[in-house]
Amino acid sequence: MTLWDLTQGASAKVSRFKSSIESGYRTRLSELGFHPGEQIACVLSPSMGAPKLYRVNNTVYSLDDSIASLIEVA
Amino acid sequence: MPTTQASRIALIGSPNSGKSLLFNRLTGLNQKVANFPGITVNIASGQSLDNKAVQYLDFPGVYSLQAISGEEKVAVEAFTSALQDNLLDAVVCVVDITRLEKGLIFALQVLETCHRHNIPVLIAANMLDVLDQHGMQFDCSGLSKALRVSVLPLSAKTGAGLEQVSQSLADATVPPEKFQSDIIASDDSVNHLHAQELAEKYGPKGDLLINTQTQLDSFFLHSWLGGLSFLAIMYLLFQSIFTWAAPAMDGVEASIQWLASVVLPLVPAGVASDFVSDALFGGLGAFLVFVPQIFVLTMVVGMLEDSGYLARAAVICHKPLRFFGLTGKSFIPMLSGVACAIPGIYAARTVESTRKRWLTYLAIPLMPCSARLPVYSLIIAAFIPAQKAMGGLIGWQGLAMFGIYLFGILCALLVTAVVSRSNAELRTDLPFVLEMPPYRLPSWRPLIINAWNRSKHFVTKAGKVIFAVTLVIWVLGYFPNYGASLGDSWLGTMGQWIEPIFAPFGLDWRYGVAILSSFLAREVFVGTLGTMFGIEGAEENFTSLAQQIQDSGLPLGAGAALLVFFAIALQCVSTLAVLQRETGSWRLPVQLFISYSIFAYTAALLVFHLVELLV
């Protein structure tokens, strides 16, 4: 299951990044708080495939499917 | 660090850490402060308010010293080369205390880098006011001891703690070497584990995310409520550009006319008087009239940025725009371009990805700007009957206007879709990861000062180029017969030379001259055509000019071709000049000018033949 599959209101822990992710993006996502073991909540999932809103600590980020589907959660 | 002698202090921090607001507080300079990630593009500098010898430098906000985009690379290199060249005496690393873990990951990188260059560091723990609001605290001295550098709690918003900045800077020390081996590790995962540990140990405890943010997001990003509010906000934006700016635009026009009436009698009649009247007051007046529009648009877009809504608008528009190779962040620049390409190009600064910004630059000049409106109105009045259908609900002229506006927007999207698909580099770009800033009420003073600076930039920088071209067009149109007849002037002669170019879509030399002169500004087309048909004040009196065009036997296909030509061609010196200023080179403006001229010509030719075939 990936971060993109997380439904609104659900939360999960980041398990790993997919191997296809570029190392630069992986580092950046880690720096923003999306690192393995971190609890992420999907706070809003707008319709029609718009980027979803995820909460990490006290920050909310909007991620589109191209990047959220590269983060595996459990 | 001694602060009695001249010293330079860098401010560095992540987007939304409040760094630019702190800079404004410290210098009183009011550099642009926006509630939208990545707004600081240039390095601003300013003298400290309490010590003129101290100069603060506001470096662009970055999430990390390990850059992943071109824009970030520029910012990080600017910072590291300033350290290497010994240009800095100290570094203030601004950290949002409410998001301590994220801030510390960045701060640890800064400490490590500053240690290597032997530069003292002060950690500014910003957003103290938010902690106070929630009745929370953090262990400042514990964090300072763990990091082994000074940590100063402050609020850039309220000014709390700012009086201690000078003293704290004087006491700031170089991060010790031992610290590096204790906490810093080159491995990123270890780095953020340390940040997490420090945040848990010394950071504020509890839930700081304001619930209203989530509630407002549920509304503004709701399936249909979000869409409705988006349309309502965009409607207000348009109203502001056209309605609120109108009195000021009339005022500018009236002032220029008044100034001309005062100055002209003092100028000796002849060439000098004609020059002052036509080139100076006429040419520059036509360009200065757009300044209020730029001011109002910058203000309103600034309000949207500051309020936090712009980030939400980017989320709404991201998916549809991505199909065309753009990003959600391209939306506001393109929308601004509907009023005038110039503020649109300025607004594109908010697109932090260099490639997407470049694609946005391609789209903006094709958006149906207000200068095209007089041209469209004239041609539509000449060819489309002022009749209504469906019981008066639909006017054919209005429908034609809607159609040509839509055509411009579709052309813009088509160009970006084709260009982005033709280049693999443009396709693969930064993924869409956008921090959602908290909603807040905009601060008026920085907004007004920013709008004023933007307008000033337009007048002083683009104005020079516009004046130079005005001069050339005026000389060509005035000589050798001293303004007696535009048709016999050098411009008229050139119009006759280029007649074969426009003849394939049914236009004679008079239209050629009008098109040539419209390269100054599109709306000049109407005035020039009026002059060619011997009508004074054609801008205010469309009907007689439209009648003249009808009587001249211009075919319908030629009218449609003219509409299409004006929808695509980049006949705007101001746009080209501002593009040059923003990209730092003439390459893109020249490329765009040539390619859009060819595109416009080909499309006009096609439309002419298509219409002639059908009618």
Side-chain angles (χ1 to χ4, degrees):
Chain A
M1 180 170 154
T2 69
L3 195 59
W4 186 251
D5 302 321
L6 217 58
T7 52
Q8 186 170 321
S11 62
K13 275 187 177 170
V14 175
S15 48
R16 63 182 194 100
F17 293 107
K18 282 193 175 170
S19 54
S20 53
I21 195 167
E22 269 187 45
S23 65
Y25 298 166
R26 193 175 61 197
T27 309
R28 173 55 47 87
L29 285 166
S30 287
E31 286 164 347
L32 296 179
F34 295 86
H35 47 73
E38 189 67 55
Q39 186 84 14
I40 314 278
C42 174
V43 289
L44 200 70
S45 171
S47 58
M48 292 187 287
K52 294 180 183 177
L53 265 56
Y54 299 97
R55 179 177 173 174
V56 190
N57 296 318
N58 281 315
T59 314
V60 175
Y61 294 99
S62 174
L63 270 68
D64 70 353
D65 53 346
S66 72
I67 192 75
S69 57
L70 296 177
I71 305 168
E72 291 193 0
V73 293
Chain B
M1 189 213 75
T3 49
T4 44
Q5 62 195 63
S7 51
R8 286 212 263 195
I9 310 210
L11 292 185
I12 189 155
S14 302
N16 283 323
S17 61
K19 178 179 58 66
S20 294
L21 189 59
L22 178 63
F23 172 79
N24 288 346
R25 279 278 188 177
L26 292 170
T27 61
L29 244 193
N30 279 297
Q31 185 220 13
K32 185 173 169 60
V33 186
N35 195 16
F36 190 69
I39 201 78
T40 319
V41 180
N42 303 312
I43 300 165
S45 71
Q47 281 179 333
S48 167
L49 280 178
D50 57 6
N51 184 354
K52 297 283 177 218
V54 175
Q55 188 190 17
Y56 286 106
L57 299 165
D58 182 19
F59 279 77
V62 286
Y63 284 109
S64 164
L65 291 182
Q66 291 174 297
I68 58 166
S69 73
E71 197 73 13
E72 276 185 346
K73 209 175 162 196
V74 172
V76 172
E77 276 174 6
F79 176 63
T80 46
S81 61
L83 288 173
Q84 272 160 13
D85 300 342
N86 285 323
L87 296 176
L88 303 176
D89 298 289
V91 169
V92 177
C93 179
V94 187
V95 169
D96 176 355
I97 193 66
T98 67
R99 299 157 186 201
L100 190 56
E101 183 187 328
K102 188 185 77 160
L104 281 175
I105 293 173
F106 178 67
L108 290 176
Q109 294 177 347
V110 172
L111 290 175
E112 187 189 24
T113 311
C114 288
H115 163 74
R116 276 194 267 114
H117 294 94
N118 206 30
I119 302 286
V121 178
L122 169 69
I123 304 279
N126 193 19
M127 312 274 180
L128 197 61
D129 54 302
V130 182
L131 279 198
D132 289 344
Q133 267 173 24
H134 289 77
M136 291 179 183
Q137 285 168 336
F138 80 105
D139 184 357
C140 181
S141 61
L143 185 65
S144 177
K145 271 181 198 149
L147 292 171
R148 300 177 200 187
V149 288
S150 302
V151 177
L152 176 67
L154 53 85
S155 165
K157 192 179 174 187
T158 63
L162 257 65
E163 68 287 351
Q164 290 175 46
V165 171
S166 294
Q167 189 54 49
S168 300
L169 272 170
D171 300 339
T173 51
V174 177
E177 190 182 17
K178 193 167 173 287
F179 170 79
Q180 191 186 14
S181 58
D182 274 1
I183 296 184
I184 303 282
S186 54
D187 180 21
D188 296 319
S189 60
V190 179
N191 199 346
H192 78 241
L193 281 177
H194 282 297
Q196 198 172 25
E197 192 186 315
L198 287 167
E200 272 172 19
K201 205 167 174 187
Y202 306 110
K205 312 280 183 294
D207 193 352
L208 265 167
L209 190 78
I210 308 154
N211 282 332
T212 48
Q213 180 176 339
T214 319
Q215 285 166 2
L216 285 171
D217 275 341
S218 314
F219 176 78
F220 283 119
L221 296 173
H222 185 269
S223 304
W224 59 272
L225 281 176
L228 270 183
S229 52
F230 175 78
L231 288 176
I233 290 167
M234 292 313 131
Y235 175 75
L236 281 177
L237 185 89
F238 267 94
Q239 281 297 310
S240 73
I241 300 164
F242 289 108
T243 317
W244 302 349
M249 290 171 89
D250 292 343
V252 171
E253 211 168 359
S255 310
I256 291 165
Q257 278 169 4
W258 174 81
L259 198 64
S261 68
V262 173
V263 173
L264 277 174
L266 306 174
V267 182
V271 181
S273 168
D274 288 344
F275 171 76
V276 173
S277 160
D278 299 338
L280 217 58
F281 286 111
L284 280 183
F287 129 85
L288 285 175
V289 104
F290 288 107
V291 174
Q293 222 172 28
I294 290 172
F295 185 89
V296 170
L297 190 74
T298 313
M299 273 279 292
V300 176
V301 173
M303 269 164 56
L304 290 178
E305 283 172 356
D306 247 14
S307 68
Y309 183 74
L310 205 55
R312 277 76 187 179
V315 171
I316 291 174
C317 298
H318 178 68
K319 184 101 197 273
L321 285 178
R322 198 172 74 174
F323 179 78
F324 298 100
L326 296 160
T327 153
K329 297 171 195 176
S330 309
F331 173 72
I332 288 291
M334 286 175 69
L335 182 82
S336 312
V338 175
C340 174
I342 292 148
I345 292 163
Y346 284 131
R349 286 181 177 192
T350 55
V351 184
E352 74 260 58
S353 150
T354 319
R355 290 164 189 162
K356 297 294 175 199
R357 191 167 60 235
W358 187 82
L359 281 169
T360 311
Y361 285 149
L362 302 193
I364 292 169
L366 291 167
M367 298 304 283
C369 72
S370 55
R372 285 176 168 111
L373 195 62
V375 183
Y376 292 164
S377 304
L378 174 70
I379 300 167
I380 288 172
F383 287 99
I384 310 285
Q387 288 168 357
K388 287 188 164 52
M390 291 180 70
L393 276 180
I394 296 176
W396 293 115
Q397 289 189 340
L399 204 63
M401 186 66 88
F402 176 74
I404 193 66
Y405 261 67
L406 198 64
F407 176 78
I409 297 167
L410 288 177
C411 279
L413 295 174
L414 184 76
V415 164
T416 56
V418 170
V419 173
S420 64
R421 276 168 177 75
S422 67
N423 186 329
E425 268 204 359
L426 290 170
R427 264 200 314 278
T428 55
D429 202 31
L430 286 180
F432 188 83
V433 179
L434 187 65
E435 188 178 333
M436 296 285 105
Y439 291 96
R440 68 179 187 198
L441 286 173
S443 327
W444 290 103
R445 204 163 160 253
L447 280 178
I448 292 170
I449 290 173
N450 180 50
W452 172 256
N453 287 341
R454 191 63 60 84
S455 310
K456 204 167 73 182
H457 183 268
F458 171 66
V459 174
T460 54
K461 305 293 179 190
K464 286 177 194 160
V465 179
I466 294 166
F467 181 68
V469 179
T470 308
L471 201 65
V472 171
I473 300 263
W474 180 80
V475 167
L476 289 175
Y478 189 80
F479 292 106
N481 54 8
Y482 296 93
S485 154
L486 188 58
D488 297 325
S489 69
W490 288 329
L491 194 68
T493 314
M494 284 165 74
Q496 287 170 43
W497 287 344
I498 63 156
E499 190 175 6
I501 299 175
F502 293 103
F505 46 89
L507 302 176
D508 64 28
W509 68 275
R510 291 172 298 188
Y511 293 94
V513 174
I515 290 173
L516 270 187
S517 66
S518 74
F519 279 85
L520 184 60
R522 292 178 181 98
E523 63 273 24
V524 175
F525 176 84
V526 177
T528 312
L529 211 57
T531 315
M532 304 302 295
F533 281 102
I535 297 167
E536 289 300 320
E539 295 89 338
E540 288 86 34
N541 189 6
F542 279 143
T543 330
S544 56
L545 182 56
Q547 189 62 48
Q548 289 265 10
I549 292 173
Q550 273 179 351
D551 296 345
S552 72
L554 191 75
L556 177 63
L562 258 180
L563 279 181
V564 167
F565 184 84
F566 269 89
I568 301 169
L570 212 173
Q571 306 132 293
C572 181
V573 181
S574 317
T575 303
L576 294 169
V578 173
L579 265 178
Q580 187 271 333
R581 290 288 316 170
E582 290 293 285
T583 58
S585 126
W586 277 106
R587 197 176 159 190
L588 181 67
V590 168
Q591 279 177 340
L592 279 187
F593 179 75
I594 294 171
S595 51
Y596 285 174
S597 296
I598 296 169
F599 180 23
Y601 187 82
T602 318
L605 201 61
L606 277 174
V607 165
F608 173 73
H609 286 294
L610 196 71
V611 174
E612 291 301 293
L613 204 72
L614 293 174
V615 180

